[in-house]
Amino acid sequence: MRAVAFTHFGAVPALTELPVPEPRSGEVLVRLRTSSVNGFDLGILDGNFKEVFEYEFPVVIGKDFAGVVTSIGDAVTSLAVGDEVFGVVMRPTLGQGGFAEYVAVGETYGIAALPEGLDHAQAGALGLAGTASLNAVDALDPVAGETVLISGATGGVGAYAIQFAAARGATVIATAKPGAETEFVTGLGAAHAVDHTDLEAQVRAIAPDGVHTALHFAGDGAAVAGLLARGGRFASTVHFTPDEPAERDIKATTVMANPDQATLTRLAADVITGRLQVPLTKVYPLAEATQAIADFTSGTLGKLGIAI
């Protein structure tokens, strides 16, 4: 099968030929149609997860997937050959990934049925970023009348989070440069766009006493936390915890995406009903996946998809 993989730490990922995986007990083999680029992929390439996961080289890039089940392992009861599915590759090791023609994944976690009305392109850009943003917004639990500052709002996770926070009735302040970025975030429901180069002044002009909640997906976490009002709530998906004085009474949470079946099903339903827009801005063929990674690294709007 064709796959985009790297062979050792420091190696550049490349399109290569690898054996088709065999599903183990409790696993299904999925013939992939689509995937997308996530920040997690850059962490894999940089070796940032060496202390967390075993790397089984060659390591295939990609966490998201959408496709069709082509074979099943022993003890699989909930899925059958021909089922359309999507989700997040949640394996105990780093080896198989979504930038490939096939992947073997467990039948119960990180996978859900692909419902009618959700196409493969949307589904392949939904799982990880959608889950991370929903988990982060749920952790803050913003309500109508509150302000939410989203740092890293133009990326995939931020783009979903804008929509989830705005749907709760909160006033969303999103980081974005003037021009295309501002149009992007306001089009998703942000009430205000603020440039990260002048973050404090612009946020204070909107919320002089500070914001009620802050979501940190990128940028200077300390600067973002410093804009919270006393008793504010802070959540980060990039493992940043603010060092705040006790008298500020800031409640901080580190969020890890949990793509269980219920969450994936909820995300799919939100897209189908129009409550959630998949911010897919460009799709690359598998042969150009390395260019997609490079473009993602340099900074792009929304989600970059991979057509397999």
Side-chain angles (χ1 to χ4, degrees), residues 6 9 13 35-55 59-64 87-99 109 127-132 155-157 217-218 237-239 255-259 293 296-297 303-304:
F6 65 108
F9 293 119
S35 184
S36 68
V37 186
N38 289 286
F40 191 92
D41 301 322
L42 304 186
I44 293 174
L45 281 171
D46 292 341
N48 294 345
F49 302 114
K50 285 189 285 187
E51 304 303 319
V52 182
F53 297 102
E54 176 187 355
Y55 281 64
V59 173
V60 179
I61 304 300
K63 291 292 284 182
D64 290 322
V88 182
V89 179
M90 299 296 289
R91 298 182 58 83
T93 61
L94 296 177
Q96 296 187 49
F99 291 10
Y109 183 58
L128 185 57
T131 296
V157 180
F217 303 132
T237 59
V238 291
H239 309 290
V255 176
M256 296 289 290
N258 178 26
I293 294 170
F296 181 90
T297 304
K303 293 288 296 178
L304 301 182

Side-chain angles (χ1 to χ4, degrees), residues 152-255:
T154 56
V157 180
Y160 284 122
I162 291 170
Q163 299 176 72
F164 286 128
R168 288 170 172 250
T171 298
V172 177
I173 305 171
T175 56
K177 296 176 182 177
E181 290 191 2
T182 291
E183 292 177 6
F184 179 74
V185 299
T186 55
L188 293 171
H192 307 278
V194 292
D195 195 324
H196 69 91
T197 62
D198 189 29
L199 187 64
E200 181 169 5
Q202 292 189 23
V203 172
R204 292 292 182 188
I206 300 165
D209 297 327
V211 297
H212 300 99
T213 61
L215 288 165
H216 175 237
F217 303 132
D220 185 343
V224 173
L227 290 166
L228 284 164
R230 187 180 186 281
R233 310 186 301 282
F234 177 93
S236 174
T237 59
V238 291
H239 309 290
F240 176 82
T241 302
D243 184 15
E244 291 286 333
E247 60 268 21
R248 291 244 298 147
D249 192 28
I250 300 301
K251 299 173 179 61
T253 304
T254 297
V255 176

Side-chain angles (χ1 to χ4, degrees), residues 78-148:
S78 62
L79 293 169
V81 172
D83 285 350
E84 300 275 356
V85 294
F86 79 103
V88 182
V89 179
M90 299 296 289
R91 298 182 58 83
T93 61
L94 296 177
Q96 296 187 49
F99 291 10
E101 291 181 312
Y102 293 90
V103 68
V105 293
E107 71 162 326
T108 60
Y109 183 58
I111 189 170
L114 184 74
E116 185 176 350
L118 181 67
D119 64 37
H120 286 101
Q122 292 173 314
L126 183 59
L128 185 57
T131 296
S133 65
L134 181 58
N135 292 164
V137 172
D138 283 347
L140 290 186
D141 193 23
V143 298
E146 290 190 322
T147 48
V148 180

